[in-house]
Amino acid sequence: MIRYILIRILQAIVSIIGVSIITFFLTHLSGDPVQLMAPTDATLEDMQELRVTLGLDKPFHVQYWSYATK
């Protein structure tokens, strides 16, 4: 019985990680969030500053770790 419960817990953890990875990558496929958030008169420097503030200038694995740990 304990073995069954441990297997189910492991499956739940793998499922949660899988869903979070899929969700993270689907949100990145929807486009550049900086272009959606920035005002229409924003300069390239303003947009780059917003990317740095949001952490979008970092590699995907660093962004995912930040996403997963918040």
Side-chain angles (χ1 to χ4, degrees):
M1 182 68 174
I2 292 177
R3 184 172 186 256
Y4 174 76
I5 293 172
L6 291 175
I7 289 173
R8 297 296 289 186
I9 290 172
L10 181 64
Q11 289 174 340
I13 291 170
V14 170
S15 296
I16 290 170
I17 292 171
V19 167
S20 72
I21 289 172
I22 291 169
T23 304
F24 175 76
F25 284 109
L26 285 177
T27 58
H28 276 69
L29 287 176
S30 64
D32 187 11
V34 173
Q35 288 181 345
L36 298 172
M37 294 174 67
T40 56
D41 60 343
T43 64
L44 291 176
E45 292 82 20
D46 293 337
M47 293 177 78
Q48 184 60 27
E49 183 179 331
L50 185 56
R51 276 189 187 88
V52 171
T53 302
L54 296 174
L56 297 173
D57 61 330
K58 297 177 181 161
F60 275 140
H61 67 280
V62 176
Q63 290 181 35
Y64 174 72
W65 183 252
S66 175
Y67 169 79
T69 57
K70 286 187 179 180

